[in-house]
Amino acid sequence: MNIIVCVKEIIDPELPPENFEIDPTRNIVLGPDSMPHILSPFDEHAVEAALQIKDSCGAKITILSLGNNIRREIVKKPLSMGADEIILLEDEAFADGDSWSTALPLAKAVKKIGDYDLVLCGRQAADWDAGQVGSGIAEILGLPSVTLARKIEVINGKAKVERVIPDGYEMIEISLPAVITVSNEIGQPRYGTIDKLLAAVSKQPLIWKPQDIGMDPSETGEKGRKLKLLKLFKPVREGKCEIIEGETPEEAAINLAQKLRDAKVL
Amino acid sequence: MSDYRNVMVYAEVTSESLSPITKELLGCGKKLSNDLGKELCAVLIGCNISHLAKEAIAFGAQKVYLVDHPLLENYQTDLYLWSMMKVVEKEMPRVLILGQTSIGLDLSPLLAFRLETAVVLDCVDLSIDPDSNQLLLTKPVYGGKAMATFLCNSKPQVATVRSKSMKPLEREGSRKGEVIAFNISLDSPNIRKRTLGKVAEDAKGIKLEDAEIIIAGGRGIGSRDGFKQLEELSKILKGSAIGGTRPACDAGWLSTTAQIGLTGKIVSPKLYIALGLSGSSQHMAGCSGSGTIVAINRDPRANIFKEAQFGVVGDWAIILSAFTKKIGDLLAQ
């Protein structure tokens, strides 16, 4: 069983809105390099999903990431959790792509790896929230796909997947190889262990450039985009909150109840 | 490129009627098609759904493609994708919009990649740029901390639309439209992927989407027992339901189906009582359409106070307990 997990580093989505500013002239987040970066949380859930399969039936897990100047300490985190190998598509040409010009090189890299049963991705990256790279990889490679998995079991060359829907879940059976995107309902990603972390530090990722996956640099990253970003802006907030006071918390609560009653909200 | 013409809506069906999102899509699509000077068409896929064509017309569609087949009774990715491809190839729409639903978010990227075009998911605004006549697609990014407006260079321009972000037209039974039965030959189900069934896990009582009042808790609630205190208030408030943030659901304090936010449910009750939650952008994405937001949080700088109309700063447990008692007294009067 060979599993490829696609991961991406992003600006920490937990960053409070007041610390998040946009450079309107360049349509980018202000000072992105000074912002704290983490592995996109849903990608970490995808790693967890791969590790759950590894626990139950054994698997080799290869981490695949794409970008330029990729922070090693972040993309190596899955190794400390129990993943086995790491390949980076790292080049200037890969930077600032849209879902199209990102899914294409990832699909070519998956094809080059060749020996795989399952490709896992997070349901969406928590920066652009595009939510389509996994489906794109599947479509480019002609593979079946499932989105929003909350449980994956591999049995006899097939995967049984529980897929999140608003009022519960769907049960899906899919033949392998396949692409599955993972949602947070899969469960908390496990912590890394010290010995795996130490091994990860010294591990050198395999680096692939566009030509290594048979691509012209103009087909990927910013040059390969189909979507043009016209404007990035912060939503306007009204921000008129009436704070209800009281001598004690109990009194404030009583005043709030009365206020809502008077305003006919209740 | 001039071959691409109209605006097309994928008309989703739930329990044998048009989904609310479908009516919203038709409302939005009507405006786009008017601005483009083109027609609005809808695609209905399912089994025994022909009666819904006139409903789609009553809500604004001028042309309805009907793909009616026993194998299409429930959503099956491969079969729906195949059906949509056939209709799109026939109609060549310039703009194609779907709902940001469990079907739309699954189907639309596959469709777009197969059509070698781009798609923008979870849009909250779609408009036609009067100068270029191009579709402008706006969606929240960075978990709602920012908004991005895109222009798509390839056609059809595909988007999914967030529920409750667009207004439906008034239903008018007198609207006229053409119904095109689209005969499609489907093989026995493609066995690559099969949806075997659904398991409903929704909590008992009122659904979050239907609740008039939502009492929501976050990380600050601290435990499953904490949420029991929220239930005390819910018991005395008619039409209320309990929801939570992603961290609260991930911690197992309440069912995952009670998650409100970007990747959970999108709700718009009349009253939203937010307890022990900071109001992260990703959570607010699911509830900012509420009528009145009330925040109870110990941190006066929490973002939720920027979103709420009324707030109390303090320990949620003490405040909720006194609040529940007072509400009980007021309602008994």
Side-chain angles (χ1 to χ4, degrees):
Chain A
M1 183 84 196
N2 289 304
I3 305 174
I4 299 168
V5 187
C6 300
V7 303
K8 180 188 183 186
E9 56 157 286
I10 58 163
I11 295 173
D12 188 347
E14 297 281 331
L15 202 68
E18 58 267 27
N19 296 352
F20 183 92
E21 291 302 331
I22 286 159
D23 178 349
T25 54
R26 292 162 65 206
N27 277 336
I28 59 164
V29 177
L30 204 60
D33 293 335
S34 61
M35 300 273 199
H37 281 64
I38 60 163
L39 203 64
S40 181
F42 296 116
D43 297 351
E44 223 173 293
H45 286 107
V47 174
E48 173 59 32
L51 290 166
Q52 287 175 8
I53 296 167
K54 186 176 178 174
D55 290 343
S56 70
C57 60
K60 180 183 155 197
I61 301 172
T62 303
I63 300 299
L64 183 61
S65 190
L66 170 148
N68 193 29
N69 300 323
I70 299 170
R71 290 170 179 78
R72 299 294 190 269
E73 70 280 14
I74 291 171
V75 291
K76 281 185 176 179
K77 186 177 181 186
L79 297 176
S80 72
M81 294 163 68
D84 302 285
E85 299 294 333
I86 179 163
I87 300 172
L88 301 180
L89 298 171
E90 191 174 46
D91 194 272
E92 269 186 329
F94 291 128
D96 299 322
D98 62 3
S99 299
W100 183 272
S101 64
T102 299
L104 195 59
L106 286 172
K108 299 234 179 195
V110 167
K111 201 167 176 185
K112 177 165 174 162
I113 293 169
D115 190 9
Y116 63 91
D117 303 283
L118 204 48
V119 180
L120 301 181
C121 299
R123 59 177 286 172
Q124 63 202 72
D127 52 359
W128 291 97
D129 289 315
Q132 47 179 287
V133 164
S135 306
I137 294 170
E139 199 49 44
I140 293 165
L141 295 173
L143 299 175
S145 64
V146 179
T147 46
L148 314 190
R150 51 166 249 173
K151 190 174 177 195
I152 306 170
E153 273 182 299
V154 175
I155 304 161
N156 303 329
K158 281 183 177 170
K160 285 174 91 171
V161 186
E162 291 180 6
R163 174 179 189 256
V164 176
I165 53 172
D167 55 357
Y169 61 92
E170 287 176 332
M171 292 172 299
I172 294 170
E173 197 173 80
I174 189 168
S175 62
L176 301 182
V179 181
I180 300 176
T181 78
V182 178
S183 192
N184 51 295
E185 289 84 354
I186 200 95
Q188 284 302 357
R190 64 196 66 188
Y191 291 107
T193 61
I194 294 289
D195 55 324
K196 290 197 183 91
L197 179 69
L198 291 174
V201 169
S202 57
K203 182 147 191 124
Q204 289 304 314
L206 191 57
I207 312 281
W208 286 347
K209 300 280 173 191
Q211 52 271 28
D212 295 321
I213 49 171
M215 283 189 85
D216 189 282
S218 67
E219 294 172 284
T220 176
E222 192 173 8
K223 289 187 177 145
R225 290 182 74 106
K226 286 185 187 291
L227 279 179
K228 188 178 164 201
L229 176 64
L230 291 182
K231 200 176 159 200
L232 186 66
F233 58 102
K234 278 181 88 166
V236 188
R237 256 182 260 281
E238 303 280 325
K240 271 198 308 187
C241 183
E242 183 182 339
I243 299 290
I244 313 293
E245 316 262 359
E247 291 290 320
T248 60
E250 287 84 357
E251 195 185 305
I254 289 165
N255 293 341
L256 174 67
Q258 192 64 51
K259 190 94 195 172
L260 295 178
R261 186 66 169 168
D262 294 346
K264 296 198 169 22
V265 176
L266 272 174
Chain B
M1 284 290 184
S2 59
D3 285 350
Y4 294 95
R5 294 179 299 262
N6 294 328
V7 175
M8 179 179 277
V9 164
Y10 167 66
E12 209 170 299
V13 178
T14 11
S15 21
E16 297 178 18
S17 51
L18 292 184
S19 306
I21 183 73
T22 299
K23 297 169 188 171
E24 294 161 20
L25 291 171
L26 289 168
C28 162
K30 190 72 185 174
K31 187 171 180 316
L32 297 176
S33 61
N34 284 346
D35 289 350
L36 287 166
K38 303 286 178 192
E39 288 193 316
L40 175 64
C41 45
V43 186
L44 271 164
I45 300 176
C47 175
N48 295 326
I49 44 153
S50 55
H51 62 288
L52 295 177
K54 69 173 191 304
E55 272 304 290
I57 291 166
F59 280 98
Q62 288 154 291
K63 205 194 274 184
V64 179
Y65 286 96
L66 203 56
V67 190
D68 204 321
H69 194 288
L71 289 176
L72 297 171
E73 184 171 0
N74 294 307
Y75 177 65
Q76 297 282 355
T77 307
D78 288 338
L79 299 179
Y80 274 53
L81 181 59
W82 171 260
S83 305
M84 278 303 283
M85 280 299 290
K86 291 290 158 199
V87 177
V88 168
E89 281 165 3
K90 166 93 184 347
E91 173 65 31
M92 299 278 273
R94 175 187 176 129
V95 174
L96 170 60
I97 53 179
L98 304 87
Q100 175 70 4
T101 60
S102 48
I103 293 179
L105 68 84
D106 192 63
L107 187 59
S108 65
L110 297 172
L111 194 56
F113 273 83
R114 195 165 287 190
L115 290 162
E116 298 194 5
T117 187
V119 55
V120 180
L121 273 74
D122 205 17
C123 293
V124 293
D125 188 45
L126 297 176
S127 63
I128 303 295
D129 178 31
D131 297 326
S132 63
N133 234 14
Q134 293 277 19
L135 179 69
L136 303 178
L137 310 104
T138 301
K139 70 164 290 180
V141 293
Y142 290 95
K145 281 202 275 287
M147 306 286 281
T149 301
F150 295 101
L151 190 136
C152 171
N153 291 322
S154 51
K155 292 207 177 59
Q157 295 163 327
V158 188
T160 70
V161 172
R162 181 178 289 186
S163 75
K164 295 172 177 144
S165 62
M166 308 284 173
K167 290 217 158 33
L169 298 173
E170 286 291 321
R171 185 186 186 285
E172 271 180 39
S174 60
R175 286 200 176 97
K176 295 275 176 289
E178 182 188 0
V179 181
I180 302 161
F182 205 84
N183 288 318
I184 196 159
S185 64
L186 291 172
D187 293 331
S188 60
N190 187 327
I191 50 161
R192 292 197 318 171
K193 174 183 179 184
R194 194 173 287 168
T195 302
L196 305 170
K198 286 182 188 180
V199 176
E201 267 195 339
D202 236 355
K204 287 189 279 291
I206 297 163
K207 284 184 169 223
L208 275 174
E209 297 92 321
D210 300 333
E212 298 220 325
I213 301 171
I214 291 176
I215 306 157
R219 231 188 292 244
I221 301 301
S223 66
R224 196 187 289 249
D225 279 345
F227 272 91
K228 289 203 177 120
Q229 201 183 327
L230 274 61
E231 283 168 24
E232 293 304 313
L233 177 60
S234 182
K235 273 180 205 156
I236 61 168
L237 289 177
K238 229 174 96 188
S240 71
I242 291 177
T245 62
R246 195 173 82 206
C249 294
D250 281 352
W253 302 337
L254 71 172
S255 151
T256 56
T257 57
Q259 184 188 318
I260 294 168
L262 183 68
T263 55
K265 290 185 174 162
I266 294 180
V267 298
S268 54
K270 286 188 182 137
L271 175 61
Y272 194 83
I273 304 175
L275 298 148
L277 63 86
S278 66
S280 71
S281 306
Q282 100 86 32
H283 178 70
M284 296 318 295
C287 64
S288 58
S290 305
T292 302
I293 298 178
V294 173
I296 298 170
N297 197 298
R298 67 165 63 200
D299 179 5
R301 292 163 307 161
N303 187 60
I304 189 68
F305 289 115
K306 295 198 176 79
E307 311 269 358
Q309 283 78 51
F310 300 104
V312 177
V313 179
D315 185 317
W316 71 266
I318 297 169
I319 292 162
L320 178 62
S321 161
F323 179 77
T324 303
K325 187 171 176 301
K326 179 69 179 172
I327 291 292
D329 293 347
L330 287 171
L331 292 176
Q333 282 170 18

